[in-house]
Amino acid sequence: MNKAYIITDKPEFYNDISEEMRLFIDITDIEMGASDNFPSEGELELSVFLVGNGENWLAEARVRAFIGGELRYAEYTHSQKAIDDTPLLEKRYMKRCIKVAVFRVMKKLFPTYVPWGSLTGIRPTRLLRELYETETVTSADELMLNEFDVRPEKLALAKEITEVQKPFIDSVRENDIDIYIGIPYCRTKCLYCSFSSCVRGPKTDMRAYIDALKRDIRYGAELIRESGRSVRSMYIGGGTPTVLTVSELDEVISYALESYGGCGAEFTVEAGRPDTIDGEKLRLLKKFGVSRISINPQTMNDRTLEIIGRMHSVSDIVKTYDLAREIGFDSINMDVIAGLMGEDLACMQRTMDEIAKLEPDNLTVHTLAVKRSSRLKEHLDEYMLLSADEVDKMVNVGMQVARDMGMRPYYMYRQKYMSGNLENVGYAKANKVCMYNIDMMEETTSIMAHGAGAMSKCVFPSEQRLERIANPKDIATYIDKIDLTASKKRELFVCGAKRI
């Protein structure tokens, strides 16, 4: 579509309506208000109005689109029981009614495979878990299938994940907190990457960032002690943390462990790219008690690695993996991406066959997401991307190989602009589940986050509330505002806890 317009009496739900529309049409900008010259080729106009009689909400949706010289039209009305328990709950049910109506009217006009139905949030498992807390299992499942139009196979996936997660979520204590440390640097910028990471070259000066990161960690550790919290796990992510030199890694990790008095029950480092890993770095991580690392190929096809901007080969991946095993790491994760540029189902099968030979302990199967801030989005016309059906088959290959290796799915999240409106799924062998991934994705545990772009979260279980504080993404701004951000964290983690 070239242009799309929304007409509604509930403009506060503009973003939600837009996201429902984007499940069916590839368009970035959707305007509020009627078109001045409708119909024009490639133009779409959607109207949705909400009325209530005190007992029920009624969302009336209509859509018109001029495609291929033909005017297409559809309408749908959705009725839902009105809930006025609290203003927040009332708004939630109003939004649900509108989203279902928009989803179903768009599906009439664009009969596309949308596996997660009208759900546009990144955490379907969290929604399902919340439904299980307020509904019977049967009624919760029926809501997912019949109200939200989730496909049966996706509901089955979400149900299995909630089952695997349950003992970990149940083990969270109110004073628990996870520690995240971000290193937003990589050797190169991948074609599909939208993260605010920087390329570290031979002349990049890391001193200012590392000094700021240590100050950030010192402030965070002080707040943890003052608020009486206990470290549950530690996670160092990126970017690519192993882009740091051995001495820099030693400095950052030793400072973090000393400041926090340990890493809790689990310590993960995203070793990431094989071209940043060597025996000396791996032995250092082992010395510090790192219990889990990631070695992320994304694909086991050399041609694709070159296209996406990776500076390593498939043989480098295998050598690095074997070295990590030799040094003694017994919990290794590997990431792959389904739907990469130039790949087909046979490429995905080859990737999974090669990974199966290595037998990692964790596997994360991502679906390619074409983010607006990525180079891929800027040069999209230069690449041929697969259909939703083809990407779905690739994701299923990843799932089957994971199960053949004795893994079960344990966490999942979705992203905007994801191929086929699918999902990212983490699989793990028994006793190899990454606790931090569950805590972070399901938002059941507070997180003290350090580094540019890192997101701290404070969970208030008794209030069923969560508040976030984001560190600035720009590195210079992050460094400049360390003290200001620390004061905001104090207000949230110390003063907020005392108020409760």
Side-chain angles (χ1 to χ4, degrees):
M1 301 302 299
N2 300 323
K3 275 199 169 185
Y5 302 86
I6 296 173
I7 305 167
T8 182
D9 61 341
K10 297 295 180 183
E12 63 268 33
F13 298 129
Y14 162 78
N15 287 333
D16 302 286
I17 296 169
S18 298
E19 291 307 314
E20 293 294 333
M21 295 169 68
R22 290 191 183 103
L23 293 174
F24 300 91
I25 57 175
D26 182 18
I27 190 167
T28 301
D29 297 317
I30 301 175
E31 296 182 14
M32 281 288 291
S35 166
D36 293 332
N37 57 350
F38 188 90
S40 296
E41 182 62 36
E43 195 171 63
L44 178 145
E45 186 178 81
L46 180 138
S47 63
V48 58
F49 296 92
L50 187 70
V51 295
N53 59 12
E55 295 184 2
N56 295 286
W57 289 114
L58 204 67
E60 299 174 343
R62 297 179 177 84
V63 62
R64 302 187 299 163
F66 198 70
I67 307 170
E70 177 187 358
L71 181 62
R72 303 181 187 179
Y73 174 83
E75 60 181 32
Y76 188 87
T77 299
H78 183 65
S79 177
Q80 184 173 287
K81 185 178 179 180
I83 303 292
D84 59 358
D85 186 20
T86 65
L88 182 63
L89 199 58
E90 182 181 35
K91 183 176 180 180
R92 180 184 300 176
Y93 277 82
M94 289 167 60
K95 180 170 69 175
R96 178 187 294 182
C97 190
I98 287 174
K99 289 181 67 173
V100 170
V102 171
F103 174 84
R104 291 182 180 172
V105 78
M106 289 293 292
K107 192 168 180 64
K108 278 189 171 187
L109 213 59
F110 304 94
T112 306
Y113 172 66
V114 187
W116 289 100
S118 62
L119 300 185
T120 57
I122 68 173
R123 299 177 176 86
T125 47
R126 179 177 173 180
L127 170 63
L128 182 61
R129 192 175 70 253
E130 290 174 351
L131 288 174
Y132 284 156
E133 292 172 358
T134 58
E135 309 279 345
T136 65
V137 171
T138 299
S139 60
D141 290 350
E142 288 177 351
L143 276 171
M144 293 287 281
L145 293 169
N146 303 323
E147 179 82 359
F148 302 131
D149 296 296
V150 173
R151 299 278 296 189
E153 65 272 19
K154 297 305 179 186
L155 173 60
L157 173 63
K159 286 171 70 71
E160 184 175 7
I161 290 173
T162 58
E163 177 187 331
V164 175
Q165 288 179 344
K166 190 176 187 307
F168 294 92
I169 292 176
D170 288 348
S171 72
V172 178
R173 300 170 301 177
E174 190 165 350
N175 68 332
D176 279 345
I177 193 162
D178 295 312
I179 309 302
Y180 177 83
I181 299 170
I183 310 296
Y185 290 87
C186 289
R187 282 202 65 188
T188 61
K189 188 93 165 178
C190 290
L191 184 63
Y192 51 77
C193 181
S194 63
F195 293 129
S196 56
S197 56
C198 300
V199 174
R200 181 179 191 180
K203 296 182 180 180
T204 303
D205 183 6
M206 296 293 296
R207 190 70 261 159
Y209 183 77
I210 291 174
D211 287 345
L213 184 61
K214 289 168 66 176
R215 284 174 58 208
D216 192 357
I217 290 170
R218 175 166 56 83
Y219 285 141
E222 290 172 358
L223 298 181
I224 294 306
R225 285 192 293 272
E226 286 185 48
S227 60
R229 298 176 189 269
S230 176
V231 175
R232 178 171 158 93
S233 73
M234 184 175 287
Y235 192 106
I236 302 181
T240 307
T242 44
V243 79
L244 297 179
T245 65
V246 172
S247 61
E248 289 167 346
L249 269 174
D250 192 331
E251 180 180 359
V252 170
I253 296 176
S254 60
Y255 190 84
L257 292 175
E258 181 181 349
S259 299
Y260 279 105
C263 59
E266 176 186 271
F267 192 0
T268 298
V269 174
E270 290 182 4
R273 300 187 185 201
D275 53 327
T276 67
I277 309 170
D278 58 29
E280 193 175 0
K281 290 181 184 178
L282 288 173
R283 282 186 283 272
L284 178 73
L285 297 182
K286 191 68 178 173
K287 182 191 79 171
F288 280 125
V290 173
S291 52
R292 180 178 180 273
I293 61 172
S294 292
I295 299 173
N296 300 329
Q298 314 304 11
T299 176
M300 296 294 268
N301 297 286
D302 281 326
R303 175 59 182 152
T304 311
L305 289 171
E306 183 181 343
I307 290 172
I308 65 177
R310 292 261 171 164
M311 296 178 65
H312 61 80
S313 66
V314 171
S315 63
D316 293 331
I317 296 166
V318 175
K319 289 175 185 176
T320 303
Y321 180 92
D322 289 343
L323 178 60
R325 286 297 199 203
E326 181 185 321
I327 288 172
F329 286 97
D330 61 1
S331 186
I332 300 177
N333 172 73
M334 302 189 87
D335 284 5
V336 298
I337 301 178
L340 285 171
M341 300 70 70
E343 293 209 341
D344 56 16
L345 187 60
C347 293
M348 184 68 177
Q349 187 67 61
R350 183 160 54 250
T351 289
M352 297 313 306
D353 289 344
E354 292 303 311
I355 285 177
K357 294 176 185 176
L358 298 174
E359 298 187 20
D361 309 282
N362 302 141
L363 173 71
T364 309
V365 179
H366 294 270
T367 304
L368 179 66
V370 184
K371 295 299 189 70
R372 284 185 289 179
S373 58
S374 68
R375 288 189 295 118
L376 175 59
K377 180 65 175 179
E378 295 174 7
H379 302 279
L380 198 55
D381 57 343
E382 300 175 21
Y383 301 95
M384 182 177 293
L385 300 183
L386 298 177
S387 68
D389 181 60
E390 290 171 306
V391 177
D392 190 38
K393 291 176 182 176
M394 296 171 83
V395 167
N396 287 333
V397 167
M399 175 184 67
Q400 188 56 55
V401 172
R403 291 191 183 280
D404 289 345
M405 288 191 291
M407 299 181 185
R408 294 186 71 187
Y410 77 96
Y411 84 105
M412 169 179 62
Y413 66 101
R414 302 178 65 221
Q415 295 171 282
K416 293 181 180 179
Y417 315 112
M418 181 174 276
S419 297
N421 297 305
L422 291 163
E423 67 283 329
N424 302 321
V425 180
Y427 298 87
K429 293 181 179 179
N431 302 318
K432 300 295 184 180
V433 167
C434 178
M435 183 168 60
Y436 174 85
N437 282 337
I438 295 175
D439 291 354
M440 179 269 299
M441 194 51 59
E442 299 302 318
E443 296 187 324
T444 54
T445 310
S446 295
I447 295 176
M448 180 65 73
H450 307 294
M455 178 74 73
S456 294
K457 302 177 184 180
C458 190
V459 177
F460 299 92
S462 61
E463 301 180 22
Q464 295 185 316
R465 179 170 62 90
L466 179 143
E467 292 191 25
R468 302 173 176 85
I469 293 178
N471 290 349
K473 294 181 179 181
D474 176 73
I475 289 175
T477 306
Y478 162 72
I479 293 171
D480 186 57
K481 295 187 178 296
I482 288 286
D483 293 338
L484 177 61
T485 306
S487 67
K488 291 180 180 178
K489 289 180 180 178
R490 173 175 293 280
E491 178 65 25
L492 182 59
F493 285 95
V494 177
C495 301
K498 288 179 179 177
R499 284 197 297 269
I500 292 176

